[in-house]
Amino acid sequence: MALINENFLKLPESYLFSDIKKKVEAFKHLHPDANIISLGIGDVTRPIAPVVIEALHAAVDEMGDSKTFRGYGPEQGYDFLQKKIIENDYIHRGVDLAPDEIFISDGAKSDIGNIGDILSMQNRVAVTDPVYPVYIDTNVMGGRAGNIAKDGQHWDNIIYIPCTSENNFIPEPPSVRPDIIYLCYPNNPTGTTLSKNELEKWVNYALENETLILFDSAYEAYIHDEGIPHSIYEVKDAKRVAIEFRSFSKTAGFTGLRCGYTVVPKELKLYDTSKKKVNINRLWNRRQTTKFNGTSYIVQRAAEATYSPVGKIQIQESIDYYMRNAGLLKDCLQKAGLQIYGGDNAPYIWVKTPNELSSWKFFDRLLYECHIVGTPGVGFGPSGEGYFRLTAFGRYEDTIESISRIQNWKL
Amino acid sequence: MALINENFLKLPESYLFSDIKKKVEAFKHLHPDANIISLGIGDVTRPIAPVVIEALHAAVDEMGDSKTFRGYGPEQGYDFLQKKIIENDYIHRGVDLAPDEIFISDGAKSDIGNIGDILSMQNRVAVTDPVYPVYIDTNVMGGRAGNIAKDGQHWDNIIYIPCTSENNFIPEPPSVRPDIIYLCYPNNPTGTTLSKNELEKWVNYALENETLILFDSAYEAYIHDEGIPHSIYEVKDAKRVAIEFRSFSKTAGFTGLRCGYTVVPKELKLYDTSKKKVNINRLWNRRQTTKFNGTSYIVQRAAEATYSPVGKIQIQESIDYYMRNAGLLKDCLQKAGLQIYGGDNAPYIWVKTPNELSSWKFFDRLLYECHIVGTPGVGFGPSGEGYFRLTAFGRYEDTIESISRIQNWKL
């Protein structure tokens, strides 16, 4: 009798974005003519940069010619892209990596989910709270989360590290020692960052406690201020404790093209149950060569083009466009008397709901009174209650229109 | 202390194709001027069809224009492609499927590997032998294979169903009942097929024994003879027991573009430990929405173009090209006195090594005496010993040259 992985049955039916969708559909049914603006789901809206489009056309033509056609590529990605990543994302930050420490994939979400394949089910996992739900859900599937508590929000084997305005969104080491901790900076959903000093504390914690850090830096391109690390490897010895996930999705608008990469340093060692050290780079390589056939060649050429001199300029233009939205939204929300966080080095603005409104109550009011869709903070975890996420990925015109509605809003 | 998934440590270091690579490199070192022809790894060589290239260019242009740009797509794939798949691959074979039973992915290898996520570690797995190594290796990683036997070939918790010339490559139900069985037809590596009658026996076996069939039909486009099923769902009630994996890799030369799909019928139910039936379509949907962000939009448009009237013709031309190679190779090998199988409805030719030569000995002789690289049958499992795989994916000119060398070969 073929049996399922029963951990899947533990996952609650409803899911944040589908709940939002249902609410928006109900609203549309009542107000079919309303011009709803979405500042909710974190998808980009700007088209792919011209120089990247050129690279795609050239790569497509290569695939149509028997002299330049490419079949299966390396499962780990082409070295033309691995090398560009090292040169442009790491070397000038003092981080030295080899091409075989960079694994190209179809996106950070795949790698963040699949990394669990190489990790024991016995590991105790910690997350900052609020958090990107994928970190939790993939660990539920992998049997590391335990059971959901009666509150429907906490998993009893996950360690939650609250990040709220009370601690200035700086996670503190938990009382129970985790084997694995997910850190995402610039943070989704709060838009906050960690200074190098704060990140150093976590690397040292991980070194002392033999904790693996899964570092998600999908939003590093939005860092504007000096002194905020773009990569965890800017911190000394981080290679011994951290895997870093990166994506071209938010950096270069690749959400529909699909490309990301994961750095697994050769210095990183974890343990088997006999406490013998195991090289993780080799394990991940084996996982990828067995369960993955590489990222589309033409998409890897597109990613390569983002590192050309013109590519960098064009991509920065889109980031600047989104960050102008962030600045305008932030300014407007502050003038409306709201307490807000993030938005300086991240495309996310984290709003403290006024008058102790719940996240969902604030969602309903913003939808029904301003026709704006955002994301209730509680959807990202229990410590997100009383907060609300807005994204800067909308069109400029929509952001301006949102601002004008919020200005006239009687909160 | 962060622990690894120790099942990874059970996998032997060496891997079939890396061993072959090492042997070829050693040969090249000794014979730097030899013109080595590879009929080994199953990668295509013909460029992408012109109408597909056109579709790619058009989709690339869409991504460069804010009016037509697409960000995140559905994790399950776009319905324009799901519908084309149903219309062209299933309806005319009497198979009725809904778009939400088709999951588009970046390739069959990913799905065949990832399907284990939704299945219990307790399941007993059966494979036909010889077999595509990914079926075994992913189950080793997932903890379902047990330990490798002293012979270095059998995993003690995997049920091997020998398929050799003795049983005409038709798998017979094993004495121990499996929970899951992998079937691949047309078969890699043997190039053999199952008649509808034979496939019906397996569907009935699965229905009676509550066994899940994982059906890999990556090579169905190479079926030429009438009466050989292209899809397992051509067999009555197969939807209740089977998941089908398909790929554009061999059908349309997408090995470098990356697109495949998996059919998970809503009628398919497996069990939890309390013997309650569970809908597998929903489980796979949850897996994909949590750990995957969809296949590249432009690649999905390319896949769609393979179903256009011109696309079908152009793709058939490449299949005919490869099958001409297969026919020529087969004829030549038979004339050389070799016993061969496959090659009629599959791009693979399965050679019985003469004079009881071992697979690797035959490999060495073919390499050193004909400068041709193939794949030793034993690399696909213990029942592959004494066999050898050649593929028809080479260039026509190389196939002709190979034939001329084999004709002059003193075996």
Side-chain angles (χ1 to χ4, degrees):
Chain A
M1 181 182 289
L3 299 176
I4 60 153
N5 171 358
E6 294 195 26
N7 293 310
F8 273 72
L9 303 183
K10 296 179 179 178
L11 282 167
E13 254 328 291
S14 68
Y15 188 62
L16 178 60
F17 292 108
S18 56
D19 287 351
I20 291 172
K21 203 175 158 190
K22 279 176 209 155
K23 276 183 176 269
V24 172
E25 274 162 14
F27 173 80
K28 276 183 185 166
H29 187 71
L30 291 172
H31 306 276
D33 299 327
N35 170 24
I36 299 170
I37 295 175
S38 175
L39 301 175
I41 294 177
D43 198 1
V44 296
T45 50
R46 300 264 292 170
I48 299 294
V51 74
V52 177
I53 294 291
E54 271 174 51
L56 277 166
H57 281 306
V60 167
D61 283 334
E62 282 183 65
M63 295 300 262
D65 184 334
S66 60
K67 289 188 287 296
T68 50
F69 171 78
R70 305 228 188 181
Y72 290 121
E75 291 95 342
Q76 305 86 348
Y78 280 101
D79 68 354
F80 64 74
L81 181 54
Q82 292 167 324
K83 285 174 182 168
K84 282 275 188 281
I85 287 167
I86 292 168
E87 283 163 25
N88 292 281
D89 290 343
Y90 291 102
I91 284 180
H92 69 289
R93 300 195 190 282
V95 179
D96 188 30
L97 291 166
D100 60 359
E101 293 176 303
I102 310 282
F103 294 83
I104 314 295
S105 76
D106 64 318
K109 189 175 166 190
S110 299
D111 289 350
I112 288 168
N114 295 334
I115 199 76
D117 284 8
I118 64 168
L119 301 171
S120 166
M121 283 174 60
Q122 308 308 318
N123 289 305
R124 192 74 192 269
V125 171
V127 295
T128 56
D129 173 31
V131 71
Y132 179 42
V134 165
Y135 307 155
I136 304 269
D137 291 355
T138 56
N139 278 295
V140 174
M141 293 173 177
R144 291 183 205 93
N147 295 300
I148 200 161
K150 281 187 187 151
D151 67 3
Q153 297 207 301
H154 289 85
W155 292 88
D156 61 13
N157 209 30
I158 298 270
I159 300 162
Y160 292 79
I161 305 174
C163 293
T164 63
S165 59
E166 278 79 46
N167 61 12
N168 209 19
F169 300 94
I170 295 170
E172 285 153 37
S175 51
V176 179
R177 199 195 56 75
D179 302 305
I180 297 169
I181 177 166
Y182 290 82
L183 295 177
C184 172
Y185 289 98
N187 188 254
N188 173 20
T190 67
T192 58
T193 53
L194 282 193
S195 68
K196 190 165 179 188
N197 185 38
E198 289 298 336
L199 195 55
E200 267 167 1
K201 288 185 195 167
W202 275 103
V203 170
N204 290 334
Y205 177 87
L207 286 162
E208 281 160 26
N209 292 280
E210 297 175 309
T211 299
L212 170 66
I213 298 176
L214 298 174
F215 192 75
D216 183 348
S217 60
Y219 301 95
E220 63 80 29
Y222 293 84
I223 295 173
H224 176 269
D225 297 345
E226 292 290 319
I228 297 172
H230 288 243
S231 163
I232 194 167
Y233 306 122
E234 292 177 47
V235 174
K236 189 172 173 293
D237 288 333
K239 280 191 201 171
R240 290 170 50 202
V241 292
I243 292 172
E244 181 160 291
F245 302 93
R246 291 241 183 145
S247 170
F248 293 90
S249 285
K250 307 300 162 68
T251 307
F254 274 39
T255 53
L257 280 181
R258 313 301 319 139
C259 196
Y261 64 90
T262 292
V263 183
V264 188
K266 279 178 252 179
E267 292 169 47
L268 177 63
K269 305 274 198 297
L270 300 184
Y271 296 87
D272 67 13
T273 40
S274 69
K275 300 194 178 177
K276 213 180 112 195
K277 286 186 177 184
V278 181
N279 177 322
I280 297 311
N281 179 280
R282 280 173 58 192
L283 247 56
W284 183 243
N285 188 59
R286 190 70 191 251
R287 192 271 166 210
Q288 291 298 82
T289 52
T290 304
K291 294 196 186 182
F292 185 58
N293 247 332
T295 303
S296 185
Y297 169 68
I298 58 179
V299 173
Q300 291 189 64
R301 282 292 184 203
E304 181 191 31
T306 67
Y307 294 112
S308 67
V310 182
K312 286 182 189 178
I313 293 167
Q314 291 176 348
I315 280 157
Q316 190 59 45
E317 281 168 5
S318 282
I319 291 168
D320 291 345
Y321 176 100
Y322 296 132
M323 289 310 285
R324 180 175 59 164
N325 288 347
L328 290 166
L329 267 174
K330 195 175 158 172
D331 191 49
C332 154
L333 292 161
Q334 278 173 329
K335 280 185 183 150
L338 290 162
Q339 188 67 43
I340 65 153
Y341 306 93
D344 292 321
N345 296 290
Y348 295 120
I349 292 171
W350 193 240
V351 183
K352 179 98 191 78
T353 64
N355 313 320
E356 309 217 327
L357 278 180
S358 76
S359 293
W360 277 110
K361 189 76 193 159
F362 188 83
F363 173 92
D364 291 336
R365 287 197 59 189
L366 195 66
L367 174 59
Y368 279 80
E369 296 166 20
C370 297
H371 305 177
I372 295 171
V373 177
T375 312
V378 71
F380 297 100
S383 295
E385 181 55 285
Y387 292 89
F388 198 80
R389 191 189 77 172
L390 294 172
T391 89
F393 288 125
R395 296 191 312 137
Y396 172 70
E397 297 75 14
D398 288 340
T399 306
I400 293 294
E401 170 63 21
S402 305
I403 286 168
S404 123
R405 294 181 193 174
I406 291 165
Q407 280 169 342
N408 296 313
W409 191 22
K410 301 279 173 284
L411 246 175
Chain B
M1 181 183 289
L3 298 176
I4 60 153
N5 172 359
E6 293 194 26
N7 292 309
F8 274 72
L9 301 183
K10 296 180 179 178
L11 283 167
E13 254 328 291
S14 69
Y15 188 62
L16 178 59
F17 293 107
S18 58
D19 286 352
I20 291 172
K21 203 174 158 190
K22 278 176 209 154
K23 277 184 175 269
V24 173
E25 274 162 14
F27 174 79
K28 276 184 185 168
H29 186 71
L30 291 171
H31 306 276
D33 298 327
N35 169 25
I36 299 170
I37 295 176
S38 175
L39 303 174
I41 295 178
D43 197 1
V44 297
T45 50
R46 299 264 293 169
I48 299 294
V51 74
V52 177
I53 294 291
E54 271 173 51
L56 277 167
H57 280 306
V60 167
D61 283 333
E62 282 184 65
M63 295 300 262
D65 183 335
S66 60
K67 289 188 288 297
T68 49
F69 171 77
R70 304 227 189 182
Y72 290 121
E75 291 94 341
Q76 305 86 349
Y78 279 101
D79 67 355
F80 64 74
L81 181 54
Q82 292 168 324
K83 286 174 182 168
K84 282 274 189 281
I85 287 167
I86 292 168
E87 283 164 27
N88 293 280
D89 289 344
Y90 290 103
I91 284 181
H92 70 289
R93 300 195 190 281
V95 180
D96 188 32
L97 291 167
D100 60 358
E101 293 176 301
I102 310 283
F103 294 83
I104 314 295
S105 75
D106 63 317
K109 189 175 167 191
S110 299
D111 289 350
I112 288 168
N114 295 334
I115 199 75
D117 284 9
I118 65 167
L119 301 171
S120 166
M121 283 173 61
Q122 307 308 317
N123 289 305
R124 192 76 192 268
V125 171
V127 295
T128 56
D129 173 31
V131 71
Y132 179 43
V134 164
Y135 306 155
I136 305 268
D137 292 354
T138 57
N139 278 295
V140 175
M141 292 173 179
R144 291 183 206 92
N147 294 299
I148 200 160
K150 279 184 188 154
D151 66 3
Q153 296 206 302
H154 289 86
W155 292 88
D156 60 14
N157 209 32
I158 298 269
I159 300 162
Y160 292 78
I161 305 175
C163 293
T164 63
S165 59
E166 278 79 46
N167 60 12
N168 209 18
F169 301 94
I170 295 170
E172 286 153 37
S175 51
V176 179
R177 200 197 54 77
D179 303 304
I180 298 169
I181 178 166
Y182 290 81
L183 294 177
C184 173
Y185 289 98
N187 188 254
N188 174 19
T190 67
T192 59
T193 53
L194 281 194
S195 67
K196 191 166 177 186
N197 185 37
E198 289 298 337
L199 195 55
E200 267 167 2
K201 287 185 195 168
W202 275 103
V203 169
N204 290 334
Y205 177 86
L207 285 163
E208 281 159 26
N209 292 280
E210 297 174 313
T211 298
L212 171 67
I213 298 176
L214 298 175
F215 193 75
D216 183 348
S217 60
Y219 301 95
E220 63 80 28
Y222 293 83
I223 295 173
H224 176 269
D225 296 345
E226 291 291 319
I228 297 172
H230 288 243
S231 163
I232 194 167
Y233 304 123
E234 292 178 47
V235 174
K236 189 173 173 294
D237 288 334
K239 280 191 200 172
R240 290 169 50 201
V241 292
I243 292 172
E244 180 161 292
F245 302 93
R246 291 238 184 150
S247 169
F248 294 90
S249 285
K250 306 301 160 67
T251 308
F254 275 38
T255 53
L257 280 181
R258 311 304 316 140
C259 197
Y261 64 88
T262 292
V263 183
V264 188
K266 278 178 254 181
E267 291 169 46
L268 177 62
K269 305 274 196 297
L270 300 184
Y271 296 87
D272 67 13
T273 40
S274 69
K275 301 194 178 178
K276 214 180 112 194
K277 287 188 177 182
V278 181
N279 178 321
I280 298 310
N281 179 281
R282 281 173 58 192
L283 247 56
W284 182 244
N285 188 58
R286 190 68 190 253
R287 193 272 167 209
Q288 291 298 81
T289 52
T290 305
K291 294 195 186 183
F292 185 57
N293 247 331
T295 303
S296 185
Y297 169 69
I298 59 179
V299 174
Q300 291 190 65
R301 282 292 184 203
E304 181 191 30
T306 67
Y307 293 112
S308 67
V310 182
K312 286 182 188 176
I313 294 166
Q314 291 176 349
I315 281 157
Q316 190 58 45
E317 281 169 6
S318 282
I319 291 169
D320 292 346
Y321 176 100
Y322 296 132
M323 290 311 285
R324 179 175 59 164
N325 288 347
L328 290 166
L329 266 175
K330 197 175 156 172
D331 191 50
C332 155
L333 293 161
Q334 277 173 331
K335 281 184 182 150
L338 290 162
Q339 187 69 43
I340 64 152
Y341 305 93
D344 292 322
N345 296 288
Y348 295 119
I349 292 170
W350 193 239
V351 183
K352 178 96 190 81
T353 64
N355 311 320
E356 310 217 327
L357 277 180
S358 75
S359 293
W360 277 110
K361 189 75 193 160
F362 188 83
F363 174 93
D364 290 338
R365 287 197 57 188
L366 194 66
L367 174 60
Y368 279 80
E369 296 167 20
C370 298
H371 305 178
I372 294 172
V373 177
T375 313
V378 70
F380 297 100
S383 295
E385 180 56 284
Y387 292 89
F388 198 79
R389 192 189 76 171
L390 294 172
T391 90
F393 289 125
R395 295 189 313 137
Y396 172 70
E397 297 74 16
D398 289 340
T399 305
I400 293 293
E401 170 63 21
S402 304
I403 286 168
S404 123
R405 293 180 194 174
I406 291 166
Q407 280 168 343
N408 296 313
W409 190 23
K410 301 278 174 282
L411 245 174

